[in-house]
Amino acid sequence: MSNLPTEPTTFHDPYQWLEEVDSARALDWVRAQNQKTDTRLAQSDSFKALQAELLAVLDSDSNIPFVEKIGTHYYNFWIDAAHPRGLWRRTTLEEYRKVQPAWETVLDIDALNTLEGENWVWHGANCLRPGHSQSTYQRCLIELSRGGADASVTREFDLVGKTWVEDGFQLPESKGGMGWIDQDSVYVFTDFGAASMTRSGYPRIVKQWQRGTPLSAATVVYEGQHDDMYIAAMHDSTPGYARDFVSRTLAFYNDELYLRADDGKLRKIDAPDSAEKSVHKDWLLLKLRDDWPVGDGYVAGSLLAIKFEQFMAGGRDFDVLFAPSDSTSLADMDWTRNHLVLNILDDVRNRLSVLTPSNEGWTRSAFIGAPPMATVDVSAVDSDDSDAVWLVTRDYLTPVTLSLAEIGAEPHALKAMPAFFDASRHVVQQHFAVSRDGTRVPYFLVHEQGLQYDGSAPTLLYGYGGFEYSLCPEYSGGLGRAWLAKGGVYAVANIRGGGEYGPRWHQAALKHNRARAYEDFAAVAQDLISRKVTAPRHLGVQGGSNGGLLVGNMLTQYPELLGAVVVQVPLLDMQRYHHLLAGASWMEEYGNPDVPEEWAYIQTFSPYHLFDPAQTYPPVLFTTSTRDDRVHPAHARKLAARMIEANQDVTYYENIEGGHGGAADNAQSAYMKALVYRFLWERLSVGGA
């Protein structure tokens, strides 16, 4: 393990010029690195065959067309080889039940790009619920992004005529957006000019905008502070329960919610800022992230319910719908017309529970037909009109299945992905490593039956460990074809910082405790080595975004455990992260480097500062995107440049498009994935081919 700094140090940054995203000299450096990588990794026949295999998975017509019910139609956004930027299309439920549904194209993004000479990427649609005089959905607000960036433009679209609304609501490119109030008014939160954005680069002001007036005439609804994260407003159009809300996000997992009256006055929903608040018809639900000493007291991770009007009148007599145990956390919840479905993680395995409110209180029942050993997602088909839900199941070896279920009845399978690789030879296991402080850390292990425990297996360990995000078993045809089918072993670590065991698991690795996440990941790596699944020269790690920070710390703090490192769209310079794009919004996670006491611990997990040019590091692949306007590409650029200067084994590739996802279409994604798997197999396998 590397020696960590014990007190704040000064640092001269010789590569700060690489923060100039589109400057000529920065892009010249990027193109030079890209060319080297392309020449070394991407020109062989084996690479091109791998890329084609991965693209075939992404473009497969057998992929499930997931749908959203809007009115009487079911809408899907579809990407394939013929439509690389995608089609927004619709069908009926009767058609959707068929193996090959008949689809009606609503909007063709590729055709739009050709017409406008743009590189639009679909960011979604928000459609206006019909009013009393209407029977069908007619208008939508559609968001489009240039090259996949977070920033987008918004345009009003006629769903009946399938055309853009002339002189309709439109917003120029910015982070933020719009939401319907009624057909002639919207809430708008965007870049209104000087000082209208927060320190994090998100909207600070929300306004109400009337049709037929210029944006400059929109009236202010609420102004947040410069140090807030995000300000927005929304209209709940649920029949019989129409309400308006203003949301003031102070920081990640820390917000205020206000009820907006007809006269524009705001009334705070006086629940803890750290609680996740949601209002559905009669009910207010609070998902606690901290203990709340009200009444008899409620523990972090609990889900509380109370009638909304009762709470606003001062009532605090809650029903506890869920309380965590040592092994459980609440992963998700969703309302149908009459029920609330809870999705609970128990040692990172999903189980479902159905709660039903009545005048006599809440009753609890099992969800019929949910598989006992799989990753399961549940979402309502139409929470206003039915108790039907979509049920999506999968695991590392089982392709995704989509079922339609009525609460209380057996699910009916509608669609299933094909198997993109032969998984019959593989098994999935769950193990627990012991971290430095004695904490048991779960991880999943996928490998061929009959694995020889001699330390020779090329093994890829993946992790994230941040922002209360849980890593549950997922099926990946690309991973299966490019890694598992070749004899590779795959492991996923459920380290602290994530949400696998609720808020306590997340909070255990915040700020000055961040090292616990990296100690957990290193413990899993060491467990794989101790079990003789693999050895350091055959062990690779991969992570993106916050996971890129994770593996960046593995690179700089635990190089002796690793044979290769893949660092994707990462944070790496933790002294300047809060000055770059959306970085200031993550200070609740990492801390504020401008405060000396906080920089004292932040520098102990800043890979850019921990790098020692005199030390030898395992081979590393950095990937990022020029169009990533969330995590600045300079993080990857600068550490790669420092390591190249020190003659380390560095491979670098920066996609010019792609946003934070790294790729703007399937072809780009297949290329990027092929680079990763080619690099890893070359570095970790016994033969290196």
Side-chain angles (χ1 to χ4, degrees):
M1 182 173 176
S2 301
N3 292 324
L4 299 177
T6 57
E7 59 184 35
T9 58
T10 58
F11 178 79
H12 169 67
D13 187 354
Y15 290 106
Q16 195 165 323
W17 58 273
L18 284 170
E19 295 176 9
E20 303 162 7
V21 176
D22 295 317
S23 73
R25 62 175 178 168
L27 288 180
D28 284 347
W29 182 89
V30 167
R31 292 188 181 100
Q33 301 306 319
N34 285 358
Q35 182 60 49
K36 291 177 186 176
T37 298
D38 187 78
T39 299
R40 194 179 74 77
L41 286 179
Q43 296 306 309
S44 68
D45 290 342
S46 59
F47 177 90
K48 292 174 182 177
L50 174 60
Q51 182 182 1
E53 278 197 85
L54 293 170
L55 184 58
V57 171
L58 295 170
D59 278 345
S60 173
D61 290 338
S62 299
N63 286 317
I64 295 176
F66 292 100
V67 293
E68 175 189 10
K69 185 175 183 289
I70 302 175
T72 58
H73 283 88
Y74 292 76
Y75 286 73
N76 161 256
F77 189 75
W78 181 256
I79 294 175
D80 61 20
H83 309 94
R85 292 301 168 99
L87 295 173
W88 194 37
R89 57 187 191 171
R90 63 191 176 198
T91 190
T92 63
L93 182 58
E94 181 181 4
E95 279 293 321
Y96 188 64
R97 292 180 183 276
K98 298 178 181 178
V99 175
Q100 295 293 335
W103 294 97
E104 175 191 1
T105 297
V106 179
L107 181 62
D108 184 331
I109 304 299
D110 294 280
L112 180 66
N113 283 339
T114 299
L115 178 66
E116 298 185 351
E118 282 284 3
N119 63 337
W120 297 125
V121 173
W122 175 262
H123 263 200
N126 174 7
C127 298
L128 175 67
R129 187 195 300 265
H132 297 298
S133 61
Q134 301 169 326
S135 58
T136 61
Y137 280 74
Q138 296 183 346
R139 297 291 174 88
C140 297
L141 298 172
I142 289 179
E143 292 190 15
L144 302 168
S145 157
R146 286 186 174 91
D150 282 358
S152 61
V153 302
T154 307
R155 301 178 181 177
E156 187 176 358
F157 188 80
D158 183 340
L159 206 54
V160 177
K162 296 185 289 186
T163 58
W164 300 108
V165 177
E166 187 175 353
D167 298 325
F169 290 113
Q170 291 193 42
L171 277 185
E173 185 177 40
S174 176
K175 292 185 179 180
M178 278 194 293
W180 291 107
I181 301 174
D182 55 42
Q183 181 150 332
D184 293 319
S185 59
V186 294
Y187 287 121
V188 55
F189 30 101
T190 187
D191 187 348
F192 294 109
S196 68
M197 304 295 275
T198 67
R199 180 179 182 178
S200 301
Y202 295 112
R204 186 182 66 81
I205 301 170
V206 59
K207 299 183 180 183
Q208 183 169 336
W209 186 15
Q210 297 300 120
R211 185 181 299 279
T213 65
L215 180 59
S216 59
T219 58
V220 173
V221 172
Y222 183 80
E223 289 194 37
Q225 302 300 313
H226 175 67
D227 286 337
D228 291 345
M229 179 179 163
Y230 200 116
I231 305 299
M234 63 289 296
H235 175 71
D236 180 355
S237 59
T238 304
Y241 299 92
R243 303 183 183 101
D244 291 81
F245 298 95
V246 169
S247 171
R248 179 190 180 196
T249 303
L250 304 169
F252 261 95
Y253 307 109
N254 200 354
D255 67 82
E256 297 175 348
L257 186 64
Y258 295 85
L259 178 67
R260 186 181 187 227
D262 292 340
D263 61 3
K265 292 183 179 179
L266 301 182
R267 187 179 175 195
K268 185 179 180 182
I269 297 173
D270 194 19
D273 290 347
S274 64
E276 181 182 320
K277 312 161 191 72
S278 61
V279 181
H280 176 80
K281 296 183 179 178
D282 288 329
W283 294 97
L284 169 67
L285 298 184
L286 301 177
K287 183 180 177 183
L288 302 183
R289 292 193 178 91
D290 295 302
D291 292 346
W292 191 19
V294 64
D296 294 332
Y298 304 97
V299 299
S302 297
L303 178 66
L304 312 181
I306 191 172
K307 290 291 183 73
F308 180 70
E309 296 300 334
Q310 179 185 343
F311 181 85
M312 297 303 286
R316 295 296 183 268
D317 186 14
F318 294 98
D319 292 307
V320 180
L321 304 187
F322 173 80
S325 69
D326 288 344
S327 65
T328 62
S329 66
L330 181 60
D332 200 5
M333 57 188 176
D334 205 14
W335 286 95
T336 68
R337 181 176 56 189
N338 297 301
H339 307 284
L340 178 66
V341 182
L342 302 188
N343 194 340
I344 296 163
L345 281 182
D346 192 343
D347 276 334
V348 206
R349 299 174 186 272
N350 292 100
R351 58 180 175 84
L352 304 178
S353 180
V354 178
L355 300 179
T356 307
S358 70
N359 292 332
E360 287 72 42
W362 293 78
T363 58
R364 190 180 305 266
S365 59
F367 187 102
I368 295 176
M373 298 291 286
T375 297
V376 183
D377 289 326
V378 178
S379 59
V381 175
D382 188 335
S383 61
D384 290 338
D385 296 332
S386 80
D387 287 319
V389 295
W390 304 115
L391 188 70
V392 180
T393 61
R394 70 278 186 200
D395 62 33
Y396 292 117
L397 302 179
T398 308
V400 178
T401 295
L402 171 66
S403 300
L404 184 61
E406 192 78 19
I407 297 295
E410 287 286 341
H412 172 67
L414 288 181
K415 311 282 181 185
M417 281 178 56
F420 287 110
F421 66 100
D422 180 7
S424 64
R425 299 179 292 113
H426 292 80
V427 294
V428 178
Q429 299 171 330
Q430 186 182 42
H431 297 290
F432 290 82
V434 179
S435 194
R436 183 179 181 181
D437 65 358
T439 300
R440 294 174 75 245
V441 180
Y443 70 94
F444 290 99
L445 187 65
V446 188
H447 61 82
E448 288 184 330
Q449 299 177 36
L451 174 70
Q452 298 299 308
Y453 289 89
D454 59 5
S456 67
T459 300
L460 174 58
L461 173 60
Y462 183 84
Y464 185 75
F467 298 94
E468 208 174 327
Y469 181 76
S470 304
L471 293 180
C472 297
E474 297 286 343
Y475 183 83
S476 170
L479 174 76
R481 286 188 172 187
W483 192 255
L484 296 175
K486 295 180 69 174
V489 173
Y490 184 59
V492 175
N494 301 114
I495 63 178
R496 284 174 286 184
E500 286 86 348
Y501 293 103
R504 65 180 177 86
W505 200 245
H506 172 230
Q507 294 165 8
L510 291 180
K511 295 185 176 180
H512 62 281
N513 289 321
R514 200 72 196 175
R516 290 175 177 169
Y518 313 136
E519 291 166 0
D520 289 359
F521 202 67
V524 173
Q526 186 61 63
D527 201 62
L528 291 168
I529 295 166
S530 298
R531 291 176 183 272
K532 294 188 178 181
V533 172
T534 191
R537 68 175 297 263
H538 300 301
L539 176 60
V541 293
Q542 178 186 16
S545 193
N546 172 75
L549 176 62
L550 165 67
V551 296
N553 275 283
M554 291 298 293
L555 172 72
T556 52
Q557 296 194 51
Y558 300 92
E560 71 282 358
L561 294 179
L562 307 173
V565 181
V566 175
V567 187
Q568 298 171 296
V569 291
L571 287 92
L572 296 169
D573 180 353
M574 299 306 291
Q575 188 170 42
R576 287 187 49 76
Y577 83 93
H578 61 316
H579 295 303
L580 301 175
L581 298 175
S585 65
W586 310 319
M587 288 194 291
E588 284 297 305
E589 189 84 6
Y590 305 121
N592 184 351
D594 292 339
V595 177
E597 295 79 9
E598 296 189 29
W599 172 240
Y601 65 76
I602 294 171
Q603 68 174 333
T604 67
F605 60 84
S606 180
Y608 192 51
H609 299 84
L610 294 176
F611 171 71
D612 179 359
Q615 184 171 334
T616 299
Y617 294 92
V620 56
L621 168 64
F622 294 95
T623 69
T624 188
S625 165
T626 310
R627 289 292 292 164
D628 188 345
D629 56 352
R630 191 182 312 172
V631 177
H632 202 293
H635 286 280
R637 292 175 178 180
K638 294 200 300 181
L639 183 53
R642 285 197 72 198
M643 295 187 72
I644 291 168
E645 181 185 37
N647 296 313
Q648 302 287 336
D649 188 342
V650 175
T651 304
Y652 184 92
Y653 191 85
E654 180 174 321
N655 193 22
I656 303 303
E657 291 189 315
H660 192 51
D665 57 36
N666 286 349
Q668 293 176 16
S669 181
Y671 179 85
M672 299 287 280
K673 291 177 185 292
L675 286 179
V676 169
Y677 291 123
R678 177 67 178 175
F679 169 81
L680 287 169
W681 196 259
E682 180 183 273
R683 301 297 186 168
L684 301 179
S685 66
V686 175

